[in-house]
Amino acid sequence: MTTSRVQGRGATAGADAERMLALARRLIGARSENPGGSEWPVVDILAEVLADSADETRVIECAPGRPNLLARYGACDGVRPVLLVTAATDTVPADAARWRHPPFGGEHHDGELWGRGAVDMKGAIAAVVEAALRHRERGCPGGQDLILAFTADGERGGGAGWQRLAGELPWARPDGALLVAPTSLVPHRRERGVVWLGVDLYGRAAPASCAEEGTSAVVAACALVQEFPGAAASALLRGGGDAGPVTVTAGRIAGGDRVNLVPGHCRVEFDLRLPPGSVDPDEERLAELVAGCLPAGVRARTELLMLSPASETSASEPLWHRLLDLGRAHGLTTGADPVYAGPTDARHLRGGLGVPTLLCGPGDQRRAHQVDERVPLTELTRAVALYEDLFAPGHPPHDGGRATTVHDRR
């Protein structure tokens, strides 16, 4: 058995930290890989844990076998302000052979919880639930109602989750929302959009012995990879660029049938990351930009594979200032105004529900989806304290606490 020092507070801090860790380990062990799995194993656990704490829980399946769990604290009828806190329950798959510790074991080593979803977002879910349990144990102070939403399909665009759930929320529209995506507990109000663009290039095939009669689609692809990023950045970025640049990555390229043939076809696939304030491109505009980068004798067919627009919440929103104030009270990094690297379910809440939505969760986003995914236990316990204070506006924030000991009973 190993032990780790983590931050807790109050007379029951150690017991609460153990409870939170036990739940996180159960959630990691409840496989919910997407594609190929279902969120039901996670939802069953959460429904059990929240049954005696929440005033009501509901499960809504927006697609067969893809459950979304909602829990309310308070009437959530619009009489009092309503805060929504949400996280996705699915994960990307994991290849156990590549991991140093079992990806579904929920083990912790050297002060870190290991496993698929530890960062994205099962560790954060355990922190939210622990904060909600404490909130109930304290009598739900603060004059605010609370909705917890643990949703499906976060890894594949939210089609079985918030993309449809936004139109089926059974209670009053929230006044604000927090998505506990991994940000290392740094508050975010802005996120980049993503475009995936496929480009098929068609030149003229010819034997290498008569190369002058051909037009190489591979050579044209090389020119496109060189020229398209600059063209896209110039055309799509507007304003002062304070949210960062447009970035373009050529992620895949394939062409040519054999070494002694001038290739007549080549395909390139691009990932474009668009900061808030940039132009949301349509396929026609992207096709024009591609055509402008090609040599004579080559034609292109473009395919818009995915478009998730950038989105943001205004810096004037009261929830933003409250989260920053609480972050400072808890000793968190709050000085910058960072932009999240890609789209999240927050875009569905901002667009579909019109709810100001922020991001703040434990874990380093760069570790999400990776082999040996893991999150520091200290971040999980600090998240619990932060969320508990967020649930109770008007009450003095806790002080960040004192160290307690968590035992790893593997």
Side-chain angles (χ1 to χ4, degrees):
M1 181 173 72
T2 63
T3 61
S4 296
R5 299 282 286 178
V6 300
Q7 288 301 118
R9 50 177 173 70
T12 61
D16 290 347
E18 291 275 8
R19 181 172 66 181
M20 182 270 296
L21 177 59
L23 176 58
R25 296 180 66 173
R26 287 182 69 191
L27 295 176
I28 290 171
R31 297 179 67 155
S32 54
E33 293 160 287
N34 186 11
S38 169
E39 293 84 0
W40 268 117
V42 176
V43 166
D44 283 339
I45 293 171
L46 294 175
E48 169 199 323
V49 173
L50 292 170
D52 294 329
S53 176
D55 290 302
E56 180 185 3
T57 61
R58 294 193 190 187
V59 175
I60 298 175
E61 281 191 308
C62 295
R66 310 302 300 278
N68 299 276
L69 175 66
L70 305 177
R72 65 172 174 86
Y73 289 74
C76 295
D77 56 5
V79 174
R80 303 198 308 174
V82 178
L83 174 68
L84 169 70
V85 180
T86 185
T89 57
D90 59 327
T91 71
V92 298
D95 179 0
R98 301 175 61 198
W99 285 59
R100 282 183 279 170
H101 302 291
F104 303 103
E107 298 180 5
H108 83 73
H109 301 272
D110 301 321
E112 294 181 307
L113 176 66
W114 290 61
R116 177 57 80 226
V119 171
D120 189 20
M121 307 181 192
K122 291 181 176 180
I125 291 173
V128 167
V129 169
E130 177 59 38
L133 296 178
R134 295 186 189 183
H135 184 60
R136 170 62 72 190
E137 290 161 2
R138 294 171 62 206
C140 297
Q144 171 182 264
D145 293 340
L146 175 67
I147 298 173
L148 306 184
F150 301 117
T151 61
D153 205 31
E155 299 294 353
R156 308 278 289 186
W162 272 119
Q163 189 173 337
R164 291 177 58 185
L165 188 63
E168 301 183 29
L169 197 65
W171 304 308
R173 186 179 73 89
D175 298 277
L178 179 72
L179 173 66
V180 292
T183 67
S184 299
L185 291 179
V186 176
H188 286 57
R189 64 177 184 88
R190 307 184 287 177
E191 60 186 46
R192 295 165 73 85
V194 170
V195 174
W196 286 353
L197 179 69
V199 181
D200 287 287
L201 300 173
Y202 300 93
R204 187 180 191 184
S209 58
C210 304
E212 67 280 0
E213 297 178 3
T215 302
S216 173
V218 168
V219 171
C222 292
L224 182 64
V225 168
Q226 289 292 319
E227 299 296 329
F228 182 65
S234 298
L236 302 179
L237 187 64
R238 65 186 176 198
D242 69 305
V246 172
T247 62
V248 182
T249 301
R252 291 178 179 172
I253 185 167
D257 295 320
R258 55 183 187 268
V259 69
N260 63 340
L261 183 69
V262 176
H265 173 260
C266 188
R267 181 175 174 87
V268 187
E269 293 182 359
F270 292 99
D271 174 296
L272 290 78
R273 300 280 162 152
L274 309 176
S278 56
V279 177
D280 289 333
D282 57 26
E283 190 167 357
E284 182 178 355
R285 180 58 177 139
L286 292 170
E288 292 174 356
L289 293 173
V290 167
C293 299
L294 298 179
V298 176
R299 62 183 179 88
R301 182 182 65 85
T302 59
E303 179 185 8
L304 192 59
L305 303 172
M306 183 180 73
L307 171 59
S308 295
S311 65
E312 62 184 318
T313 290
S314 170
S316 66
E317 284 292 336
L319 182 61
W320 174 244
H321 292 284
R322 185 158 163 255
L323 184 59
L324 292 179
D325 289 343
L326 284 175
R328 284 187 285 267
H330 284 262
L332 305 176
T333 301
T334 59
D337 187 7
V339 181
Y340 204 67
T344 71
D345 279 341
R347 71 190 190 276
H348 301 306
L349 295 168
R350 293 172 181 136
L353 276 176
V355 174
T357 304
L358 307 176
L359 280 64
C360 187
D364 185 340
Q365 186 196 14
R366 293 169 296 184
R367 283 185 170 175
H369 299 183
Q370 303 301 309
V371 171
D372 293 339
E373 181 179 347
R374 58 199 186 274
V375 62
L377 292 171
T378 52
E379 276 194 39
L380 294 179
T381 53
R382 294 180 81 185
V384 172
L386 176 68
Y387 299 152
E388 188 180 356
D389 286 338
L390 190 67
F391 297 170
H395 279 240
H398 297 95
D399 62 5
R402 63 173 185 244
T404 62
T405 302
V406 169
H407 303 279
D408 180 17
R409 299 185 179 91
R410 293 195 298 275

